[in-house]
Amino acid sequence: MSFIVPQSSSSARYAFGGVRAQIRDLHTENIATAFLRMCVCRELDRIVTALDRMVAAMN
């Protein structure tokens, strides 16, 4: 498979514009996924802390 370089700079911007948009979308998606994971971890930490307190209170 060969790659043909566009002849003008405007067509090059057009050709690579879609690729840049896809990379930007993946970056945004990765940030959102990391944020959700952080929220889940924080919630799990709260649950574990509450359970530890419950167990300590029973002893």
Side-chain angles (χ1 to χ4, degrees), residues 36-52:
L36 289 175
R37 285 183 182 164
M38 181 191 70
C39 291
V40 168
C41 287
R42 290 181 79 191
E43 191 60 31
L44 289 175
D45 283 345
R46 287 182 188 143
I47 292 169
V48 168
T49 301
L51 289 173
D52 284 345

Side-chain angles (χ1 to χ4, degrees), residues 15-31:
F16 293 109
V19 174
R20 279 195 289 268
Q22 288 177 352
I23 291 170
R24 196 169 35 250
D25 289 347
L26 286 173
H27 181 71
T28 302
E29 183 178 327
N30 287 339
I31 291 171

